[in-house]
Amino acid sequence: MVNADTLVARLAADRARADARLETLFARREVADARLEAAMRHGVLVGGKRLRPVLVYAAGRALGADDAELDAPAAALELIHAYSLVHDDLPAMDDDDLRRGQPTVHRAYDEATAILAGDALQALAFEVLAETAHPRLPAMIATLAHAAGRDGMVAGQALDLAAVGGHPDVTALATMHRHKTGALIRAAVRLGGLVAVADDDPRLAALARYAEAIGLAFQVHDDVLDVTGDTETLGKASGADAARAKPTYPSLLGLEGARARADELVEEGVASLAPLGEAAAPLAELARYMIERDH
């Protein structure tokens, strides 16, 4: 089990830090379009676990990075994640009415505004990252772009849409989720690492193996929660995957089989952290938290 008190305190502090950085992006500025700005705020600042920023901070600290240097990549990752959720919820995608316990952006505003808000959040992510003066900025921008695009998250969404009503095997399902969910989790860990060390540092390879495993574990547990959770706790409609005939780990492996697979993946990820020693303990705790959370 995760050291609950320590982890809760750390998560709260990192979420607050990420939220504060995100808030600054909408404060004290001349707004070109108030409705667009409000929709963007709704997509980013109304709740959220902030898992990806938390991973940026944890990975960076494990290699000796300073928190202030991690703020920009942490915010950029969350902006990309937020844009993806705004678009994922659209009628042409998953057609969801609820996100983080609130109406989705296209329900709170309208579909066209939601599309534009997502576009603007994606652009803002690269603006935030590009404004840093880090010596490895090109590698960081390339990491974010690759994770978000045609070989990462967007490809995963395309594979997800194509799988609705189909019967992929576990390998095909894992491929889809390694793109849709896993790509940004891998990017979070890599970005945190790149703040601290050069891209040929062997510890980045260890972090990559960790992120690959926990990214898939996160999605397996998400599939389990869609079966076992309730709408109020999840902050989104429970049972949505089954209602849309989407293939999931519980549908392929059974509920207990899916839980066992998540456990295996987390242990694989934790084992990958060995080259980092005790500095990686918070990352190990985060991995276990991912399959113990209730939303």
Side-chain angles (χ1 to χ4, degrees), residues 131-174:
E131 286 177 349
T132 68
H134 197 281
R136 285 181 290 282
L137 181 59
M140 293 164 70
I141 290 175
T143 295
L144 185 61
H146 181 83
R150 63 180 180 176
D151 293 319
M153 181 185 67
V154 172
Q157 179 66 16
L159 291 168
D160 189 21
L161 292 171
V164 173
H167 303 283
D169 59 17
V170 172
T171 300
L173 189 61

Side-chain angles (χ1 to χ4, degrees), residues 114-137:
I115 292 169
L116 293 173
D119 292 343
L121 289 170
Q122 182 187 43
L124 182 58
F126 287 98
E127 180 181 336
V128 167
L129 193 55
E131 286 177 349
T132 68
H134 197 281
R136 285 181 290 282
L137 181 59

Side-chain angles (χ1 to χ4, degrees), residues 3-282:
N3 182 335
D5 291 342
T6 302
L7 181 62
V8 167
R10 189 187 308 120
L11 286 175
D14 287 347
R15 286 168 177 158
R17 186 176 185 98
D19 282 341
R21 181 67 179 92
L22 292 166
E23 285 277 4
T24 66
L25 302 176
F26 294 91
R28 296 185 300 279
R29 62 181 301 272
E30 292 187 11
V31 174
D33 187 280
R35 185 174 178 82
L36 174 63
E37 192 85 355
M40 292 171 67
R41 288 183 63 94
H42 188 90
V44 177
L45 300 177
V46 179
K49 294 184 287 294
R50 307 298 189 222
L51 174 65
R52 289 149 193 84
V54 165
L55 281 168
V56 172
Y57 289 123
R61 288 173 191 143
L63 299 186
D66 181 78
D67 280 1
E69 294 182 295
L70 297 166
D71 287 337
L77 242 301
E78 189 65 12
L79 290 166
I80 291 289
H81 177 55
Y83 123 72
S84 77
L85 297 182
V86 173
H87 281 190
D88 193 36
D89 290 335
L90 289 165
M93 300 287 188
D94 282 352
D95 195 14
D96 277 314
D97 296 332
L98 197 65
R99 172 70 66 179
R100 297 167 171 170
Q102 301 290 328
T104 50
V105 175
H106 72 276
R107 293 298 182 198
Y109 295 89
D110 58 73
E111 191 173 339
T113 300
I115 292 169
L116 293 173
D119 292 343
L121 289 170
Q122 182 187 43
L124 182 58
F126 287 98
E127 180 181 336
V128 167
L129 193 55
E131 286 177 349
T132 68
H134 197 281
R136 285 181 290 282
L137 181 59
M140 293 164 70
I141 290 175
T143 295
L144 185 61
H146 181 83
R150 63 180 180 176
D151 293 319
M153 181 185 67
V154 172
Q157 179 66 16
L159 291 168
D160 189 21
L161 292 171
V164 173
H167 303 283
D169 59 17
V170 172
T171 300
L173 189 61
T175 297
M176 183 261 284
H177 286 308
R178 283 192 172 99
H179 287 79
K180 184 178 179 182
T181 304
L184 288 193
I185 288 177
R186 291 193 301 274
V189 172
R190 178 169 171 79
L191 283 171
L194 281 172
V195 169
V197 299
D199 58 8
D200 60 352
D201 190 297
R203 290 171 294 177
L204 287 181
L207 285 174
R209 292 190 294 272
Y210 162 83
E212 178 79 15
I214 67 162
L216 192 52
F218 178 88
Q219 183 59 54
V220 175
H221 188 63
D222 244 24
D223 284 0
V224 169
L225 288 178
D226 189 68
V227 176
T228 62
D230 61 84
T231 298
E232 183 176 357
T233 303
L234 295 175
K236 58 184 179 180
S238 62
D241 291 339
R244 299 189 189 99
K246 293 180 73 170
T248 65
Y249 284 92
S251 70
L252 294 179
L253 301 176
L255 200 54
E256 291 310 312
R259 285 172 169 150
R261 181 60 180 141
D263 287 339
E264 291 170 3
L265 286 163
V266 164
E267 292 312 312
E268 287 176 21
V270 170
S272 299
L273 295 171
L276 280 69
E278 285 300 313

